[in-house]
């Protein structure tokens, strides 16, 4: 027995050493750090689809790796492990990884980093984000046309600007159809908590809303809508599987083209730090097929998408009245990017108090 | 049917052999799990248990990861020896982190050695006070401390959550639930990846070893744990002992919490559920409730974290494998312990 264990240990050592040297081939290594599970069928799932796009597009020239379910309070270890493991370009995909990414980047100046949805960058740290609020304007219009009660339920995670801008864009879209449209907001204080999200959905439906919007990552809300014969919008990925009769459309994050481009640039040596912020036009944000709605609603939604792409329609164009009654913006002009990226106020008509 | 029959004698050797046997069984079960997941079992086990020991950075991270587990684990070992069941170390850990984190938020300009001492003391105080609640409830009202200490974990988590989202939030963090970063003297000194918390863990283990093995207090707690009636006749107060062990384990858990935010994340961030306080329960048992044993157990459990992460990166297996390994390990320890205390006998009907 003893001998067997010893030889097993030696064999294990040899094997490990062999596989370590096999990794040393001169492939370019790009790596991803995920806050959730790649099986969430939402936010993290879409990032991982982007990683798979990189594998598909660049084939043998790249090697990829990822770590999932990384807690935001101790993400530096995971990020640094990847940097030490030979990753040349590391995508950290959650806002909460921001400070850890900056810290690790300082220690590894030769490694490039890209942090999603944050606002701190450096020589070797780029940031990237998507104009999800463009999609939210489209679904706001659909909601106002489809709702019989004139109200929607909105499940949200954290009051960061991206989420607040999403609520405002949804409301602006809805108000363009029905100026008296109402939303009920429930904060679940988590990006991914299927049990809480399902509970919130049930509460919202029992309070009389008939359409569900979410800014959280699981498909739980969609499933509740399907069970109760209500309508809902998918978040981050096309959730039609979870709500074949419930899903109107979904705002789909499509990171693939961006990831492929950035990895290619890094391989070519043309990678530079930047702050990327793209939307429907560039294809980083896509709308899932418009389903479970009359043709005229679907047609109008498609027109809005085209308008946003062409730059003639935008949730934050023109005069906007805030919740407190003050007015920002000018007719025919876009609100400056910085105001949207740092948004911490509601538009008029949102029946919720922003946690300050 | 099968019945468990108490053994008349139990071998001292087996008390220590049990965790080793449990580890061996865990490794075998782990190999089977890897094989089922489609990974070469030997390569999987190598990645999991040996690769995290192969370079300096990994070893430093390992010690840093073990520090909170040992700090909390030695306190729990003392607690459980006295037959007092503090299951809520996780809550005391968070209470310590929260209290320590108040200082950089409200006194960001306070920059000298005293600030570090005050933050660490606040951590100790936070854990200690939070642990006093279940202790008092047990002594005054005979409330089961297993339930009360566990429930208080969720209470303090919510309080922490509220604080980090509300009054403690960094005004420049765009409404994201985190505080300002700790800086300068508010950060624990570190050697490579190993911060001062590892030193505290070592000292705590050594001090508690001396207390438990060489001093009257240790005898008192062991007596109260194994035969409370006899201990009462000897004049030992059960009430005082309950307060004492809750104070010790709570204070150490609070210190671990302060060290975690001062040495690792350098800010308070929500959600914050590192679960060290729960994993430390495994550590205490694996270390045979002996403070020195707890050091090794803490290192082993830290290895399971590091190995889990290494396996995620280089094997692409689910990160849940670390949790599965920890669970299997505890299962085998309890099973081995049961078989050491009892023997299984087949009893026919009639």
């Amino acid at each position: 027995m003893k001998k067997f264990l010893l030889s097993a240990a030696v064999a294990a050592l040899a094997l490990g050493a062999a596989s370590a040297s096999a990794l040393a081939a001169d492939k370019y290594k790009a790596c991803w750090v995920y806050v959730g599970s790649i099986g969430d069928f939402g936010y993290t799932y879409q990032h991982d689809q982007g990683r798979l796009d990189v594998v598909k597009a660049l084939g043998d020239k790249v090697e990829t790796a990822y770590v999932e379910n990384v807690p935001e309070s101790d993400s530096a270890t995971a990020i640094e492990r990847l940097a030490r493991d030979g990753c040349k370009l590391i995508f950290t995909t959650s806002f909460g990884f921001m400070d850890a990414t900056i810290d690790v980047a300082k220690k590894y100046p030769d490694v490039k980093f890209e942090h999603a949805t944050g606002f701190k960058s450096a020589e070797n740290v780029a940031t990237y984000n998507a104009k999800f609020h463009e999609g939210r304007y489209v679904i706001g219009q659909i909601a106002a046309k489809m709702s019989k009660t004139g109200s929607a339920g909105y499940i949200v995670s954290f009051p960061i600007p991206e989420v607040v801008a999403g609520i405002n864009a949804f409301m602006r879209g809805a108000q363009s159809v029905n100026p008296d449209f109402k939303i009920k907001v429930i904060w679940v204080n988590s990006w991914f908590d299927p049990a809480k999200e399902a509970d919130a959905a049930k509460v919202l439906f029992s309070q009389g809303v008939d359409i569900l919007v979410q800014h959280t990552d699981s498909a739980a809300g969609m499933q509740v809508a399907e069970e109760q014969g209500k309508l809902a919008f998918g978040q981050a990925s096309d959730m039609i599987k979870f709500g074949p009769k419930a899903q109107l459309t979904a705002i789909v994050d499509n990171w693939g083209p961006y990831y492929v481009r950035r990895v290619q640039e890094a391989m070519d040596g043309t990678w530079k730090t930047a702050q990327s912020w793209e939307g429907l036009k560039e294809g980083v944000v896509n709308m899932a097929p418009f389903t479970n709605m009359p043709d005229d609603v679907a047609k109008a939604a498609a027109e809005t998408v085209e308008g946003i792409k062409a730059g003639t329609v935008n949730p934050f164009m023109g005069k906007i009245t805030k919740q407190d009654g003050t007015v920002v913006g000018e007719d025919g002009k876009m609100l400056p990017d910085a105001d949207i990226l740092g948004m911490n106020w509601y538009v008029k008509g949102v029946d919720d108090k922003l946690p300050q | 049917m099968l019945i468990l029959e108490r053994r008349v004698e139990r071998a001292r050797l087996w008390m220590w052999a049990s965790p080793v046997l449990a580890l061996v069984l865990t490794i075998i079960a782990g190999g089977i799990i890897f094989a089922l997941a489609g990974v070469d079992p030997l390569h999987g086990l190598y990645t999991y248990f040996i690769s995290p020991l192969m370079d300096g950075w990994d070893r430093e991270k390992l010690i840093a990861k073990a520090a909170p587990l040992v700090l909390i684990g030695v306190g729990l070992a003392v607690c459980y020896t006295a037959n007092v069941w503090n299951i809520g170390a996780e809550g005391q850990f968070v209470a310590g982190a929260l209290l320590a984190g108040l200082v950089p938020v409200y006194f960001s300009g306070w920059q000298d050695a005293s600030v570090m001492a005050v933050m660490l003391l606040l951590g100790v105080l936070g854990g200690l006070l939070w642990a006093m609640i279940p202790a008092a409830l047990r002594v005054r009202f005979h409330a089961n401390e297993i339930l009360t200490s566990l429930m208080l974990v969720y209470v303090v988590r919510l309080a922490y959550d509220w604080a980090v989202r509300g009054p403690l939030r960094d005004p420049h963090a765009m409404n994201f639930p985190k505080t300002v970063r700790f800086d300068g003297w508010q950060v624990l000194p570190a050697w490579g990846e190993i911060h001062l918390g590892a030193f505290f863990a070592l000292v705590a283990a050594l001090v508690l070893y001396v207390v438990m093995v060489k001093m009257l207090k240790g005898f008192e707690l062991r007596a109260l744990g194994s035969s409370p009636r006899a201990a009462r006749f000897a004049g030992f107060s059960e009430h005082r002992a309950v307060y004492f062990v809750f104070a010790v384990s709570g204070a150490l858990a609070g210190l671990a919490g302060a060290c975690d935010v001062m040495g690792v994340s350098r800010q308070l961030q929500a959600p914050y559920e590192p679960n060290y306080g729960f994993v430390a329960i495994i550590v205490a048992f694996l270390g045979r409730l002996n403070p020195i044993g707890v050091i090794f157990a803490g290192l082993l459990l830290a290895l399971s974290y590091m190995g889990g992460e290494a396996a995620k990166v280089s094997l692409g297996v689910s990160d849940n494998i670390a949790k599965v390994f920890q669970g299997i390990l505890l299962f085998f320890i309890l099973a081995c312990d049961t078989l050491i205390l009892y023997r299984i006998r087949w009893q026919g009907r009639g």
Side-chain angles (χ1 to χ4, degrees):
Chain A
M1 185 64 187
K2 219 175 185 179
K3 250 191 179 151
F4 167 75
L5 281 178
L6 198 68
S7 55
V10 171
L13 275 167
L15 247 163
S19 69
S21 61
L23 291 177
D26 58 347
K27 283 181 175 179
Y28 196 87
K29 193 163 181 185
C31 302
W32 278 259
V33 184
Y34 302 136
V35 68
S37 148
I38 57 167
D40 69 356
F41 293 104
Y43 183 79
T44 295
Y45 173 80
Q46 288 303 125
H47 280 287
D48 201 55
Q49 292 299 306
R51 178 182 69 84
L52 295 173
D53 285 347
V54 170
V55 174
K56 223 180 291 165
L58 303 175
D60 286 347
K61 288 179 284 180
V62 287
E63 182 194 340
T64 66
Y66 68 88
V67 202
E68 59 181 339
N69 289 331
V70 173
E72 295 187 329
S73 58
D74 187 15
S75 56
T77 308
I79 299 170
E80 191 168 354
R81 175 179 295 284
L82 290 174
R84 297 175 57 82
D85 228 42
C87 299
K88 298 281 196 314
L89 177 59
I90 299 174
F91 296 93
T92 57
T93 60
S94 182
F95 184 98
F97 299 156
M98 180 167 66
D99 290 316
T101 304
I102 296 286
D103 285 351
V104 177
K106 258 183 224 150
K107 276 171 82 174
Y108 296 86
D110 296 335
V111 178
K112 300 174 178 67
F113 296 83
E114 299 232 3
H115 176 241
T117 72
F119 55 83
K120 288 187 186 171
S121 55
E123 188 83 344
N124 59 336
V125 185
T127 61
Y128 63 105
N129 201 345
K131 293 177 176 170
F132 303 113
H133 58 266
E134 295 181 345
R136 295 205 173 259
Y137 185 81
V138 179
I139 67 173
Q141 284 191 332
I142 297 172
K145 286 182 181 160
M146 294 299 294
S147 171
K148 294 188 183 75
T149 59
S151 61
Y154 209 125
I155 303 174
V156 267
S157 50
F158 302 104
I160 59 169
E162 177 198 322
V163 173
V164 176
I167 294 173
N168 285 341
F170 178 85
M171 202 57 185
R172 298 267 297 164
Q175 285 169 343
S176 73
V177 175
N178 173 6
D180 295 324
F181 196 79
K182 295 271 181 295
I183 58 171
K184 285 191 200 302
V185 178
I186 291 188
W187 297 94
V188 293
N189 289 330
S190 170
W191 288 113
F192 183 75
D193 189 334
K196 260 194 206 169
E197 292 170 51
D199 282 347
K202 285 172 191 159
V203 168
L204 287 166
F205 286 136
S206 72
Q207 289 183 351
V209 308
D210 54 359
I211 292 185
L212 191 69
V213 193
Q214 60 179 57
H215 206 138
T216 50
D217 296 344
S218 88
M222 179 63 73
Q223 285 168 313
V224 172
E226 179 76 12
E227 278 163 28
Q228 302 202 359
K230 302 282 177 24
L231 297 169
F233 296 100
Q235 154 78 3
S237 73
D238 190 344
M239 294 179 171
I240 192 81
K241 274 181 297 189
F242 299 96
K245 295 203 180 68
Q247 180 172 293
L248 291 161
T249 179
I251 301 167
V252 179
D253 311 353
N254 180 30
W255 301 107
Y258 179 76
Y259 284 154
V260 172
R261 189 172 83 227
R262 296 298 276 177
V263 174
Q264 183 70 57
E265 284 173 7
M267 288 164 71
D268 297 345
T270 55
W271 186 96
K272 276 205 182 67
T273 184
Q275 284 84 45
S276 162
W277 199 35
E278 298 174 336
L280 283 168
K281 187 174 149 207
E282 297 84 358
V284 172
V285 179
N286 284 338
M287 303 306 292
F290 300 115
T291 47
N292 297 314
M293 64 179 83
D295 287 347
D296 59 321
V297 180
K299 190 158 162 278
E303 277 165 14
T304 305
V305 170
E306 289 312 313
I308 291 173
K309 283 184 184 170
T312 55
V313 180
N314 194 283
F316 299 118
M317 189 183 272
K319 283 205 174 78
I320 301 168
T321 311
K322 291 192 197 179
Q323 201 177 33
D324 63 9
T326 56
V327 177
V328 291
E330 293 169 48
D331 281 330
K333 277 197 180 156
M334 279 285 298
L335 209 60
D337 282 358
D339 288 13
I340 302 171
L341 287 167
M343 196 168 270
N344 62 353
W345 44 265
Y346 280 140
V347 297
K348 199 172 173 213
V350 177
D351 185 18
D352 183 53
K353 202 170 146 274
L354 194 60
Q356 283 299 341
Chain B
M1 59 179 197
L2 290 173
I3 59 166
L4 285 176
E5 189 180 69
R6 202 176 178 93
R7 289 178 199 265
V8 182
E9 283 182 45
R10 51 178 158 149
R12 209 177 159 73
L13 168 72
W14 274 106
M15 193 186 99
W16 286 99
S18 159
V20 177
L21 182 63
L23 179 62
V24 171
L25 289 170
T26 305
I27 289 174
I28 294 171
I32 295 171
I33 291 174
F34 277 126
L36 290 175
V39 176
D40 176 3
L42 287 179
H43 185 205
L45 290 173
Y46 170 85
T47 308
Y48 199 95
F49 288 104
I50 300 175
S51 76
L53 301 170
M54 294 309 271
D55 90 26
W57 180 81
D58 275 315
R59 283 192 293 265
E60 288 173 15
K61 279 279 182 194
L62 182 76
I63 292 169
K65 199 87 184 171
L69 297 175
V70 173
L71 258 179
I72 305 170
V74 288
L76 293 182
V78 170
C79 230
Y80 299 161
T81 304
N83 207 12
V84 175
W85 301 97
N86 177 6
I87 305 296
E90 177 74 7
Q92 294 135 27
F93 176 91
V94 172
L98 179 59
L99 226 56
L102 293 177
V103 175
V105 173
Y106 290 110
F107 307 96
S108 56
W110 184 2
Q111 285 292 354
D112 55 58
S114 66
V115 73
M116 191 184 297
V118 166
M119 285 172 71
L120 289 169
L121 282 174
L122 278 173
V124 169
L125 196 67
L128 190 146
L129 291 177
W130 202 249
M132 282 300 101
I133 303 172
L137 290 175
R138 166 162 162 175
V139 168
R140 304 284 300 204
F141 305 108
H142 302 287
N144 183 326
E145 77 275 15
I146 298 178
L147 288 176
T148 53
S149 64
L150 178 63
M151 290 301 129
L152 284 165
V153 173
Y154 305 107
V155 175
V156 75
R157 272 184 180 170
L158 289 171
Y160 173 97
D161 212 61
W162 170 82
V164 175
R165 280 171 211 295
L168 305 187
R169 197 177 54 195
D170 173 9
H172 302 294
M174 304 236 172
N175 289 347
F176 209 82
K178 64 193 193 84
T179 64
V180 290
R181 290 221 103 188
F182 306 170
D183 201 23
W185 284 99
Q186 298 155 352
V187 177
L188 285 185
W191 297 268
E193 302 293 331
I194 305 171
H195 59 73
L196 198 58
F199 171 74
F200 293 142
L202 193 63
V203 171
L206 293 176
V207 168
L208 285 179
Y209 177 78
V210 172
V211 169
M212 292 308 284
V213 175
K214 305 276 182 213
M215 289 168 70
L216 180 62
K217 194 78 195 169
F219 175 71
E220 175 191 333
L221 296 176
R222 268 179 287 129
L224 280 164
S226 52
S227 48
R229 241 170 83 83
R232 273 200 296 279
F233 285 133
F236 296 140
S237 156
E238 193 191 333
H239 289 176
R240 268 217 318 272
V242 170
Y243 279 120
F244 178 79
V245 294
F246 259 108
V248 169
S249 56
L252 290 175
L255 179 62
C259 289
D260 194 50
V261 292
M262 292 168 70
V264 181
S265 58
R266 291 171 43 214
Q267 64 189 173
L268 304 184
Q269 212 172 359
Y272 182 54
E273 296 176 4
N275 287 330
Y276 291 135
F278 292 126
V279 176
I281 298 171
I282 307 178
V283 170
F285 279 106
L286 187 64
R288 311 281 76 191
L289 305 186
N290 175 313
I292 302 299
V294 165
I295 297 178
F296 294 101
L299 287 168
L300 185 69
L301 265 293
L303 182 63
S304 80
Y305 275 111
M306 301 302 289
E309 213 172 76
K312 264 194 277 189
V313 172
S314 53
L315 301 179
V317 295
S318 161
D319 74 310
N320 286 326
I321 220 151
K323 288 178 206 146
V324 171
F325 273 27
Q326 289 168 0
I328 292 177
L329 187 60
L330 182 63
F331 168 80
F332 279 128
I333 295 167
L334 295 175
C336 290
D337 281 357
T338 306
L339 292 180
I340 286 160
L341 285 176
Y342 301 89
R343 67 168 154 234
I344 297 177
R345 204 156 61 85
W346 175 261
Q347 196 180 40
R349 282 173 198 275

